[in-house]
């Protein structure tokens, strides 16, 4: 299964994997997806990428596959990173509401006052607001937050946003989850 035909020749093209109930699970490469199909563990829901030829036969190249059995797993969580905090906060300062080119992360309860590095204590701040607040508590700085910071509960659209930009034909399989 090494010779590919069609628009995307690479065997490591991304394939969207759906759970048996059609919930988007993850992304794997074409090689792994073909393995699941050959073993009868998954079916192709969307092809549209031509075929893969072997010495004996041709296989349709999957773009979206669905597992024939349910995978039970904990709800996926968004990784706590600077980028994801900016994204959660819509790239706007949570104090003044400005969209800033340069954004910073502010600890709502400052670290030296026992503030933790957690979703509920980290917010996006513009440099001016971050400076103004300094190492103080909200009430000391007489500042308020526009939204209570919480851990994002990711929808599939949120989790797979980057992939959908690269694979437009996946959108109908992601929407609504
Ligand atoms: Zn600000």
């Amino acid at each position: 299964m090494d010779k590919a035909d069609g628009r995307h020749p690479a065997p490591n093209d991304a394939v969207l994997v759906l759970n048996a109930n059609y919930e988007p699970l993850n992304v794997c490469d074409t090689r792994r997806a073909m393995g699941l199909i050959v073993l009868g563990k998954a079916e192709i829901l969307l092809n549209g990428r031509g075929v893969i030829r072997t010495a004996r036969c041709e296989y349709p190249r999957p773009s979206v596959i669905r597992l024939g059995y349910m995978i039970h797993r904990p709800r996926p969580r968004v990784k706590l990173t600077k980028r994801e905090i900016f994204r959660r906060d819509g790239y706007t300062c949570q104090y003044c509401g400005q969209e800033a080119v340069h954004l910073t992360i502010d600890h709502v309860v400052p670290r030296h006052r026992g503030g933790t590095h957690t979703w509920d204590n980290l917010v996006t701040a513009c440099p001016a607001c971050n400076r103004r607040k300094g190492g103080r508590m909200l009430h000391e700085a007489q500042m308020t937050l526009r939204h209570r910071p919480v851990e994002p509960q990711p929808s599939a659209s949120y989790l797979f946003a980057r992939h959908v930009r690269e694979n437009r034909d996946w959108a109908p399989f992601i929407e609504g989850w």
Side-chain angles (χ1 to χ4, degrees):
M1 212 178 292
D2 54 0
K3 204 170 165 220
D5 187 12
R7 293 179 291 116
H8 303 268
N12 55 358
D13 264 355
V15 174
L16 177 65
V17 182
L18 306 183
N19 214 339
N21 67 348
Y22 293 86
E23 179 184 4
L25 267 184
N26 54 37
V27 172
C28 73
D29 62 19
T30 300
R31 197 182 296 276
R32 164 126 179 94
M34 294 300 294
L36 289 168
I37 287 157
V38 169
L39 291 172
K41 292 184 172 179
E43 61 169 348
I44 296 183
L45 288 189
L46 186 65
N47 167 16
R49 287 179 176 174
V51 294
I52 291 174
R53 289 206 180 90
T54 67
R56 288 194 196 141
C57 34
E58 282 187 356
Y59 299 91
R61 287 176 67 78
S63 173
V64 180
I65 65 170
R66 173 184 166 236
L67 296 177
Y69 51 94
M70 274 300 283
I71 295 265
H72 296 281
R73 56 156 191 188
R75 197 187 169 86
R77 300 180 73 174
V78 181
K79 221 170 153 190
L80 180 60
T81 64
K82 211 167 161 176
R83 217 182 60 173
E84 291 293 353
I85 292 165
F86 293 160
R87 193 171 162 213
R88 178 197 65 185
D89 294 341
Y91 305 94
T92 54
C93 174
Q94 294 302 290
Y95 293 108
C96 68
Q98 296 274 348
E99 250 183 81
V101 181
H102 298 292
L103 292 166
T104 65
I105 297 288
D106 178 58
H107 284 74
V108 180
V109 175
R111 274 203 234 241
H112 68 274
R113 307 280 284 269
T116 52
H117 196 78
T118 48
W119 282 107
D120 56 1
N121 194 48
L122 296 166
V123 293
T124 304
C126 71
C129 287
N130 205 333
R131 257 196 313 276
R132 198 180 131 208
K133 180 162 172 289
R136 296 178 293 175
M137 305 287 277
L138 285 177
H139 66 276
E140 292 166 352
Q142 296 192 335
M143 292 168 81
T144 50
L145 284 169
R146 301 173 81 89
H147 307 281
R148 191 168 67 88
V150 292
E151 178 174 341
Q153 294 299 314
S155 62
S157 309
Y158 189 97
L159 290 170
F160 291 92
R162 183 173 60 88
H163 292 291
V164 173
R165 276 197 296 277
E166 290 162 8
N167 302 277
R168 292 279 173 201
D169 52 351
W170 290 6
F173 298 93
I174 303 275
E175 278 160 16
W177 287 97

